[in-house]
Amino acid sequence: MAMTGVRTLTAAVGGREKSPPQAIFEKHAPERFRRMPRRRREAVTELTHWIYGAAGGAVFGLLPRRVRLHRAAGPVYGLSIWLAFELGIAPLLGVRHARERPALWRAVVAADHILYGIVVAGWLAPEPSLPPSAENKDRGEFAQPERPPAAAERARRV
């Protein structure tokens, strides 16, 4: 959803340039979709793109934690989603390839997907760190109770 504003800007920069979801729907949607009023088609297209983005976010969540926590993971993931579309999905669906689009349009779409990666990585609303005992509990382990400082010091000397 965060990408919607950037995509609106992208469409403005590109003149009459269609977003990839619009281009896909125009080319591959059933006739019933094409007969819908324009605003309803736009809403269905947007909702479908949100579902696609949510699925991509769920896949990001399946990555190993150490990968997800890397500072570059979100932006790299977002750019990877875009490149996978431009280099794989778009040609298969007959959607105009990125090299045919203006450089500024491609830069804005790249920024759009970097924003997507930042959102799915949780940079804008990070989860608070769990205390070690809660992390162990999530793994089915139970943390040892913390020792008072004096007891911890004695244990270290032994």
Side-chain angles (χ1 to χ4, degrees):
M1 291 177 206
M3 294 173 64
T4 301
V6 178
R7 202 164 351 98
T8 300
L9 175 64
T10 305
V13 167
R16 286 187 248 161
E17 192 71 40
K18 292 180 186 133
S19 70
Q22 289 170 323
I24 291 169
F25 267 87
E26 283 186 12
K27 188 167 184 139
H28 297 286
E31 185 61 35
R32 182 174 140 185
F33 173 80
R34 293 183 192 138
R35 288 192 313 254
M36 287 180 182
R38 185 177 135 262
R39 295 199 38 103
R40 186 171 294 159
R41 281 194 319 264
E42 289 172 358
V44 169
T45 302
E46 192 64 34
L47 181 60
T48 303
H49 197 227
W50 288 356
I51 292 167
Y52 180 81
V59 170
F60 182 84
L62 295 174
L63 294 174
R65 182 182 162 108
R66 64 178 166 57
V67 171
R68 290 190 326 265
L69 292 178
H70 192 281
R71 277 309 268 178
V76 167
Y77 185 77
L79 285 173
S80 298
I81 295 290
W82 174 53
L83 288 173
F85 175 80
E86 291 294 333
L87 300 175
I89 298 169
L92 287 174
L93 295 177
V95 176
R96 207 165 73 163
H97 199 272
R99 284 178 273 212
E100 298 172 15
R101 296 182 178 132
L104 182 57
W105 190 91
R106 287 180 284 164
V108 174
V109 172
D112 188 19
H113 285 80
I114 289 171
L115 172 63
Y116 169 75
I118 288 170
V119 170
V120 298
W123 287 16
L124 301 179
E127 289 185 34
S129 297
L130 295 173
S133 60
E135 288 176 5
N136 292 340
K137 189 175 178 182
D138 288 344
R139 290 189 301 232
E141 302 170 9
F142 293 94
Q144 297 297 318
E146 289 190 31
R147 299 177 186 188
E153 183 59 36
R154 280 194 303 272
R156 235 182 311 198
R157 283 188 248 145
V158 174

